[in-house]
Every structure is written in structure tokens, then in C-alpha cells.
Amino acid sequence: MTSTIEGGTAHAIREEAAKLFFQRGYDATTLRQVAAAVGLKVGSLYNHIDSKEHLLLQVMGEIMDDLLSLQQQALATEGDAIDKLQAVLACHLRFHAERAQEVFIGNTELRSLPQDAREVIVGKRREYEDIIQGLIEEAGQQGLASVLDARIHVYSIVAHATHIASWYRPDGRLSLDEIMRIYTTIALRELRVPDADERVDRPGAD
């Protein structure tokens, strides 16, 4: 029971820290502010973190762990490499739209981490991108896509989601599902998938 409570507190600390890092910026956020947001004394934070930098690493690590977990679930989709790529794209785009604040922290505060912690996050990002690249390369080898440069295609896909995180609003002109279909169509067209539009429009495609 105690470990469950401690786990819940640790998650609450990361959640409140993420909000403050987004609103104020990492440098302007103090551990006293984080503790107050969770209803703890500053000293109690050190039961869960080693330092403010460690807290930022926890926040950014949790973001990447969640994204990698969703990616693995998407990879279990049945079908060929393009089917799997579409599933991965769906979770990639949805995550960036629905968790835009955390994405913003990940994109802007990497420089705030010390070198060893930065390497941990960069390693997780590389792992995530390598999986997308593997699907693109597999699609090319199977004759399902025309691959100019697999890594550059990955950078394009990553940029699309980062772009969504900067402007998507739930009450906007297009629904998230519509936006995801458009970006997925763009990605598949860039890969010159012959039946790109038909695949995206197929029921259950996302």
C-alpha cells in the first residue's frame, strides 16, 4: 500500500513539475513551487528526486517511455510495413496533439539537462526514431514505397508531429482525426505509396 501511495506521489510531482516547466520555464521554476503545487514541504521532494535536474530528467524520461510504449502497441498491428507505419503514425500524431505541453518541454528543455542525462533522453529518441526508420526501410524493400532517404523521411514525420503540438486546439476547425488523416496522407504520399489515399481512407485505418 505504501509503495502505491509513494508511486502516486512521485507521479503527481512529475505532473505538477511539467505544468510549471511549461508555464514558467525550467530555469524560472523552483522546487519550492513544485512542492507547493503537490502540497508537500520542499524536503519531502527529496524522497523522490535527487535534484531539480533529476526531476527534469524524470519528466522527460516519462514522456519518452510513454511514447515508446504506445509505439510498441502500434507495432503489434497486423498487416504489411505500411499498415504498421500508419498505426505508428497514428499514435505519434495523437500523442503530440494531446500532450502538447509535455512535448514542448521535451523540445525546449533538453539543453537544461546535464550531459549524461541528456544522453539518456537522446538515446530514447534515437530508439523511437530507429523503429520508424525500420518500417520505412522495410516498406521500401517490399516495394510498397519509394524511399529517397529513410532518415530524412523520419525527420519529416517527426517534424509534422512537432508542428501539430504547436498549433492544435480541440475546438479548432478540424477534428484531431481529420488532422491525423491529412498528415498521414502527406507522409505516405512523400513515400510515394501507390495506394496512399485509399489506405488512409480505409475504415479502421487509424
Side-chain angles (χ1 to χ4, degrees), residues 50-200:
D50 297 329
S51 64
K52 183 181 168 185
E53 290 175 339
H54 180 235
L55 177 56
L56 178 60
L57 174 61
Q58 286 187 342
V59 169
M60 295 179 69
E62 184 174 58
I63 295 167
M64 284 308 307
D65 288 342
D66 288 352
L67 189 52
L68 282 162
S69 176
L70 289 169
Q71 187 185 59
Q72 287 300 314
Q73 293 175 35
L75 284 172
T77 298
E78 295 184 0
D80 59 28
I82 297 297
D83 291 322
K84 293 181 183 295
L85 179 60
Q86 282 184 250
V88 166
L89 279 170
C91 84
H92 176 68
L93 295 166
R94 186 176 295 280
F95 183 94
H96 281 71
E98 294 181 341
R99 298 179 64 173
Q101 290 188 12
E102 293 160 288
V103 169
F104 177 84
I105 294 167
N107 289 333
T108 60
E109 300 295 356
L110 186 64
R111 67 186 186 281
S112 300
L113 290 173
Q115 183 62 32
D116 56 345
R118 191 181 310 131
E119 289 175 358
V120 170
I121 300 302
V122 170
K124 290 178 184 289
R125 290 183 178 182
R126 188 178 300 114
E127 177 186 353
Y128 181 79
E129 291 173 359
D130 284 349
I131 290 171
I132 300 175
Q133 181 171 337
L135 289 173
I136 291 171
E137 291 172 343
E138 184 180 347
Q141 292 163 3
Q142 294 176 354
L144 300 171
S146 177
V147 180
L148 297 175
D149 184 287
R151 201 63 180 180
I152 291 179
H153 283 300
V154 173
Y155 293 153
S156 176
I157 287 169
V158 169
H160 287 168
T162 302
H163 187 216
I164 286 177
S166 72
W167 61 261
Y168 167 71
R169 297 291 180 274
D171 59 351
R173 179 173 61 88
L174 297 172
S175 70
L176 180 54
D177 285 343
E178 289 171 322
I179 293 168
M180 288 166 57
R181 286 192 179 92
I182 291 169
Y183 273 101
T184 301
T185 302
I186 290 171
L188 297 191
R189 285 182 180 179
E190 285 182 350
L191 287 165
R192 296 186 181 178
V193 176
D195 54 346
D197 293 17
E198 291 79 4
R199 282 178 177 267
V200 174

